[in-house]
C-alpha cells in the first residue's frame, strides 16, 4: 500500500486540503481519526514522508494528537529522519522543508506538559543530533540546524536535573556549547535565526 501511486496521490491531496482549510473542527476530527494511522504509515516509504508530515503538522496542536505522537514510535522515526537531513551534505530544498515540518510538529512537545515526569529519551535523542552538527551548508540548511539545536535545548529545560546521570550531564554540557559553534557561521544565516540563536547564548 505504501508504494501504491494512487495512495500517495490521495495522501498528497488530503494533506493539501487540510493545509488550506482553516476549520479547527476539521483538524480536531482529523486528529482524532487519522493520527495513529499516519504514524503507522510513517517510515514505510520515502515517497509518503512529505504528505504525511503535512497531515501531522495540521493536527499538532490537538492534545490527543500530541499524546499519540509521544506514545508511539512515530516521533522516533521523525527524529531519525531529521538526523539524516541535518547531517546530509547537500539536501535539496524539499528535503530541508521536510526537516522544518518535523521541527514544527515536535516543537509543541517542548511547550506542553506531555514530557514532564517521563524518561529523558526525547531530549537525549535531540541532543545527540545537535552535538554532532557542523557549520557547513546553505542558509536554509544552517537555519534547520539552528532550529534543531534550539528545540533540543527547550526539551532539556523540561528535564528534572536530579534525573541526569554522569553521561547525560556530559551530553548537556556539549549541547549547551552548540549555539556558540553555530554562531561562527552567522554570516550565512537568516537574520531571525541568528537573533534567536543569540538569545540562547544570552539566556
Amino acid at each position: 500500500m505504501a508504494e501504491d501511486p494512487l495512495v500517495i496521490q490521495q495522501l498528497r491531496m488530503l494533506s493539501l486540503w487540510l493545509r488550506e482549510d482553516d476549520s479547527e473542527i476539521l483538524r480536531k476530527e482529523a486528529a482524532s481519526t487519522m493520527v495513529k494511522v499516519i504514524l503507522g504509515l510513517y517510515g514505510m516509504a520515502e515517497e509518503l514522508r512529505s504528505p504525511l508530515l503535512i497531515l501531522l503538522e495540521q493536527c499538532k496542536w490537538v492534545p490527543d494528537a500530541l499524546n499519540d505522537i509521544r506514545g508511539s514510535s512515530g516521533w522516533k522515526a521523525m527524529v531519525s529522519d531529521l538526523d539524516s537531513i541535518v547531517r546530509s551534505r547537500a539536501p535539496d530544498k524539499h528535503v530541508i522543508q521536510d526537516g522544518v515540518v518535523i521541527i514544527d510538529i515536535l516543537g509543541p512537545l517542548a511547550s506542553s506538559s506531555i514530557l514532564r515526569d517521563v524518561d529523558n529519551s526525547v531530549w537525549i535523542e535531540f541532543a545527540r543530533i545537535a552535538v554532532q552538527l557542523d557549520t557547513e551548508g546553505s542558509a536554509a540548511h544552517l537555519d534547520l540546524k539552528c532550529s534543531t539545536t534550539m528545540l533540543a535545548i527547550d526539551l532539556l529545560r523540561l528535564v528534572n536535573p536530579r534525573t541526569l546521570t554522569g553521561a547525560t550531564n556530559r551530553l548537556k554540557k556539549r549541547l549547551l556549547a552548540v549555539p556558540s559553534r553555530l554562531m561562527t557561521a552567522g554570516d550565512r544565516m537568516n537574520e531571525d535565526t541568528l537573533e534567536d540563536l543569540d538569545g540562547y547564548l544570552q539566556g
Side-chain angles (χ1 to χ4, degrees):
M1 182 180 77
E3 297 178 0
D4 186 331
L6 183 60
V7 171
I8 295 171
Q9 184 61 29
Q10 289 174 332
L11 283 170
R12 284 178 178 153
M13 290 177 63
L14 181 59
S15 66
L16 291 172
W17 174 48
L18 273 180
R19 173 175 273 183
E20 296 300 322
D21 197 299
D22 293 329
S23 171
E24 291 299 319
I25 294 175
L26 177 63
R27 290 203 176 100
K28 286 181 180 179
E29 290 179 349
S32 65
T33 58
M34 291 169 44
V35 170
K36 289 181 181 178
V37 174
I38 295 168
L39 291 169
L41 288 171
Y42 192 88
M44 291 180 66
E46 190 171 342
E47 293 83 359
L48 294 178
R49 183 170 72 187
S50 293
L52 291 175
L53 285 173
I54 292 172
L55 286 170
L56 284 172
E57 184 185 25
Q58 304 312 308
C59 303
K60 65 184 178 183
W61 288 110
V62 179
D64 287 346
L66 284 178
N67 279 310
D68 286 340
I69 291 170
R70 176 64 186 93
S72 74
S73 59
W75 71 269
K76 290 186 178 180
M78 284 185 270
V79 171
S80 177
D81 279 346
L82 182 65
D83 187 16
S84 298
I85 293 167
V86 295
R87 291 207 280 166
S88 175
R89 282 295 141 200
D92 66 33
K93 63 180 182 180
H94 301 294
V95 173
I96 291 175
Q97 183 57 35
D98 282 349
V100 171
V101 177
I102 290 172
I103 292 288
D104 285 345
I105 292 168
L106 297 180
L109 289 174
S111 58
S112 74
S113 61
I114 291 174
L115 295 183
R116 296 188 187 279
D117 301 318
V118 298
D119 63 72
N120 296 335
S121 56
V122 179
W123 88 265
I124 288 173
E125 290 287 342
F126 272 92
R128 284 176 176 163
I129 297 173
V131 297
Q132 299 178 66
L133 296 180
D134 58 31
T135 56
E136 301 301 316
S138 66
H141 200 192
L142 282 169
D143 285 348
L144 179 59
K145 291 179 180 183
C146 292
S147 296
T148 302
T149 299
M150 290 186 283
L151 178 54
I153 293 172
D154 284 343
L155 289 168
L156 172 62
R157 289 171 178 162
L158 295 179
V159 175
N160 184 334
R162 289 177 294 181
T163 68
L164 298 180
T165 64
T168 52
N169 261 315
R170 288 190 293 273
L171 183 60
K172 173 184 175 181
K173 289 179 181 178
R174 292 175 63 198
L175 171 62
L176 295 177
V178 175
S180 295
R181 183 169 76 239
L182 290 174
M183 284 288 285
T184 63
D187 59 327
R188 289 182 284 130
M189 282 183 206
N190 176 290
E191 284 189 16
D192 290 339
T193 303
L194 189 59
E195 187 174 315
D196 290 341
L197 198 59
D198 186 54
Y200 276 75
L201 285 170
Q202 302 302 325

